[in-house]
Amino acid sequence: MAAHSRGHPAMREREFSPAGTSPYWWIRPCAGPILFLSLLFLFLFLFTAAAASAAAPEEEKFTEELLLRPLPDRKALAHFHFRSSAPPAASVGRHHHLFPKAISQLVKKYHISELELSFTQGRWNYEQWGGFDPMSTNNAKPPGVELWAVFDLPLSEIDATWKNLTHTLSGLFCASINFLESSTAFSAPRWGFKLNEGNLRYGALPREAVCTENLTPWLKLLPCRDKAGIASLLYRPSIYKGYYHSQKLKLRSSQSLGIILDQTLTVVLQPNTVSGEQLHSNHGQLQPNWSMRHLFNRKLSGKCLVSKSSRVFIEVDKGIVDNVNKSGSDLSWSNEFFVLSNSPDKLIKGQNHVEIQSSFLYVYDASNYTEEKPLDVGITWKLPLVWTCTPSPFHASRFLMGSGNERGSIALSFMSTNLHKQISGSPTDCSIKAVIFQVVPWYVKVYYHSLEIFIDGSRKTVSEVVDKIHVIPSEDKLLPGTLEMLLRFPCSMQSGTLTLDFDKGFLHIDEYPPDANQGFDIPSALVSFPEFSSARSYPEIDPVLGSPLLENFQEDSVVKSYTEVLLVPLTTPDFSMPYNVITFTCTVLALYFGSLLNALRRRIGEEERELKKTVVILKKWQLLASILYRKFVDELF
């Protein structure tokens, strides 16, 4: 046994250890217990400090920002942006201080790399509110619900995971997102929507209504909810009376960055102003004056205490900048055309991707304001000003052609805005690329071979315009149809139209919605222009500013726009006919069986005897009544 112990390497190492089994063999007890304890405490202090310094950058963060912008059609845009970030899960574990735990569990359970969910009421006006800026590119969403997700899973498990994800999100946000679980409601685009490796799923519910039931769980994901900070401005009656309302949740997850959750709310409101104050005697009509109190019926009384930064931006669009520069005035917070109610803390100049000055940002730090001194920033106009927002290269619109409940056609129209002339002059041999992504329900049977293209009124062959096309035909009650096309239009084109023929299918009576007579919706088509970027740069910005909102504006985003939702009338049965048939049938059966049972159970002999007995009894009663009557008359007279 001793020989075996001497032969074991660990035992040999223990034998040659100068101090036996103690890990601090180099500290000899003979030096004294005070020296030993001092060195031990020093070691523990250095170890704790090193661990704290290493864990310092790995902390959860929360920022809140608000951007206000006047619009050319006398409205105001308000964009709320909240970002919550969590470090990688290996260092933070299952506990969170600021980051919503429900989202963290969602990412881990379903292995989500990217996800975006939007609830939208109304439609973004690309002509009046802009189509070439980051706001319209990233925050203009189609009506209803739009959901897409990228999974970090094998392709064979993605569809089942998508179905479970829709049920989870449906319960989390009090919406009908679970209707997207059916294979007829979602698609797997390849490159038309977002370049992926087959691990992306996309679904839309155009008819989903948006209300406070969806906003309340969205606000619960914020650390301060709507009790403090910028979210306290979300007064429900003011938010939902706007012309456009879109709340979005977007998250990105990776092992190196952790989880980044962006929550945005974009609304277009009509300022509450006195019309008499907006008239100018010499130059016409002024833009409406507004402030936070006019837009939200509230003032900002400070920031959320746990937020790392809290800022309010007032953005002045390129059209206003050009008008002010032409007049020779400077773009200070008080100039010849307008004045801001509060002096800003900072002024930031923005440029678009072609190095042209595009906007001005006036920055306000919400941490400088309290309940005693709230922030009520607004804009007051001095002179009338007319401007337009930069549009996308083409205005895209979609409509239906044909009549009847048997067949029809889908038309996609493009109208040039001559944007290429402003950017690159007017070359005659250039072209503009456009990518179309369209999902069509299975009951709209599209004939993709019937594609026709017209440019400036003349018909073109498909090979002349279409560079790339990817089609997934629909299957009855199984899969929707998916169309992805890469088009190349000449720069000189002023108008173009694409048409596709389709037949209308028949549904089972159980497949009709409660309001089937209203029609069936075809989700919005997405049109993107890969050669045009909506990114902005801020050369004078301080890197220490750390604004997630401006970081999103600086990302290289492709210009894109959504078309209208199409309403297709299908052959609808008379749902009252089953009720009428059931009622009539039951009445006939009741009469038939009632008469039959009466005839079968009736006994004729017994009925005659009973009738005779009844007649005899009646006669006796009549005789008795007559006798009593005579007796009464005799006694009376």
Side-chain angles (χ1 to χ4, degrees), residues 16-37:
F16 288 103
S17 178
T21 59
S22 174
Y24 305 102
W25 58 268
W26 47 276
I27 303 176
R28 295 186 179 276
C30 60
I34 299 178
L35 178 60
F36 177 77
L37 292 175

Side-chain angles (χ1 to χ4, degrees), residues 217-474:
W218 184 86
L219 289 171
K220 288 183 179 180
L221 300 178
L222 302 176
C224 296
R225 301 192 178 183
D226 59 344
K227 306 302 181 184
I230 291 179
S232 62
L233 298 174
L234 296 176
Y235 181 58
R236 308 298 194 278
S238 299
I239 295 299
Y240 284 98
K241 73 177 182 180
Y243 291 86
Y244 176 81
H245 171 278
S246 179
Q247 66 183 60
K248 187 181 71 172
L249 179 143
K250 183 176 181 179
L251 63 87
R252 292 167 290 174
S253 174
S254 64
Q255 295 181 355
S256 58
L257 299 177
I259 307 175
I260 298 177
L261 173 65
D262 287 331
Q263 294 176 248
T264 61
L265 177 64
T266 307
V267 292
V268 177
L269 305 173
Q270 180 66 54
N272 296 326
T273 56
V274 182
S275 59
E277 299 178 356
Q278 307 305 319
L279 299 178
H280 194 272
S281 58
N282 297 328
H283 300 88
Q285 195 171 19
L286 287 171
Q287 287 286 329
N289 306 328
W290 50 261
S291 65
M292 287 183 176
R293 184 175 57 85
H294 290 115
L295 297 178
F296 310 112
N297 201 27
R298 294 180 180 180
K299 299 179 182 180
L300 182 59
S301 58
K303 70 166 193 173
C304 176
L305 294 179
V306 296
S307 63
K308 182 180 179 182
S309 63
S310 181
R311 301 183 184 91
V312 177
F313 301 92
I314 289 190
E315 183 180 23
V316 177
D317 198 66
K318 179 180 181 299
I320 303 178
V321 174
D322 294 341
N323 281 278
V324 175
N325 290 335
K326 289 180 182 179
S327 67
S329 178
D330 59 341
L331 272 164
S332 62
W333 65 281
S334 178
N335 55 63
E336 181 182 355
F337 288 89
F338 64 87
V339 59
L340 302 180
S341 58
N342 297 73
S343 175
D345 300 324
K346 191 176 297 184
L347 177 62
I348 301 176
K349 298 179 182 179
Q351 296 178 349
N352 56 23
H353 72 289
V354 292
E355 302 301 328
I356 298 176
Q357 181 176 311
S358 60
S359 65
F360 262 69
L361 289 173
Y362 302 92
V363 186
Y364 298 85
D365 193 348
S367 60
N368 298 331
Y369 299 89
T370 60
E371 293 184 1
E372 293 75 15
K373 183 186 175 183
L375 176 62
D376 186 23
V377 64
I379 185 170
T380 302
W381 298 91
K382 298 179 180 179
L383 294 175
L385 192 61
V386 178
W387 76 94
T388 58
C389 296
T390 305
S392 58
F394 292 98
H395 283 309
S397 61
R398 195 178 54 163
F399 54 91
L400 290 175
M401 298 191 302
S403 60
N405 292 328
E406 185 177 0
R407 59 180 60 91
S409 298
I410 299 176
L412 184 61
S413 173
F414 294 89
M415 297 296 296
S416 176
T417 60
N418 297 319
L419 181 65
H420 64 282
K421 296 181 179 179
Q422 305 175 21
I423 297 177
S424 59
S426 56
T428 57
D429 57 346
C430 71
S431 61
I432 299 176
K433 292 183 180 180
V435 178
I436 299 174
F437 170 68
Q438 171 69 76
V439 178
V440 181
W442 66 267
Y443 44 79
V444 178
K445 307 177 186 299
V446 179
Y447 297 105
Y448 297 100
H449 70 277
S450 65
L451 175 63
E452 294 183 350
I453 302 175
F454 299 89
I455 294 180
D456 293 331
S458 61
R459 184 173 180 177
K460 301 291 182 180
T461 61
V462 175
S463 59
E464 290 181 272
V465 181
V466 179
D467 282 358
K468 186 179 180 181
I469 187 171
H470 177 248
V471 173
I472 301 178
S474 62

Side-chain angles (χ1 to χ4, degrees), residues 65-67 69 71 76-82 118-122 124 129 133-141 210 215 218 234 238-240 242-249 263-269 296 549 553:
E65 294 170 302
L66 169 63
L67 184 139
R69 179 202 296 174
L71 296 175
L77 169 71
H79 177 71
F80 297 81
H81 186 276
F82 308 94
S118 62
F119 298 86
T120 306
Q121 180 179 356
W124 183 268
W129 305 339
D133 59 326
M135 188 64 64
S136 60
T137 297
N138 299 323
N139 298 287
K141 294 298 176 180
V210 183
L215 181 62
W218 184 86
L234 296 176
S238 299
I239 295 299
Y240 284 98
Y243 291 86
Y244 176 81
H245 171 278
S246 179
Q247 66 183 60
K248 187 181 71 172
L249 179 143
Q263 294 176 248
T264 61
L265 177 64
T266 307
V267 292
V268 177
L269 305 173
F296 310 112
L549 176 62
F553 284 1

Side-chain angles (χ1 to χ4, degrees), residues 6 36 53 58 100 178 211 238 281 288 358 362 406 447 464 553 560 584 596 609 627:
R6 287 194 297 268
F36 177 77
S53 62
E58 298 292 334
N178 58 308
C211 61
S238 299
S281 58
S358 60
Y362 302 92
E406 185 177 0
Y447 297 105
E464 290 181 272
F553 284 1
K560 57 187 178 182
F584 179 76
L596 180 63
R609 286 194 296 270
I627 294 173

Side-chain angles (χ1 to χ4, degrees), residues 99-140:
F99 196 85
K101 187 176 181 180
I103 300 299
S104 176
Q105 294 175 339
L106 193 76
V107 173
K108 295 176 183 178
K109 182 176 182 179
Y110 301 115
H111 303 277
I112 299 173
S113 299
E114 290 185 72
L115 181 143
E116 183 175 297
L117 172 65
S118 62
F119 298 86
T120 306
Q121 180 179 356
R123 183 172 180 269
W124 183 268
N125 190 338
Y126 290 94
E127 297 182 5
Q128 295 287 341
W129 305 339
F132 198 79
D133 59 326
M135 188 64 64
S136 60
T137 297
N138 299 323
N139 298 287

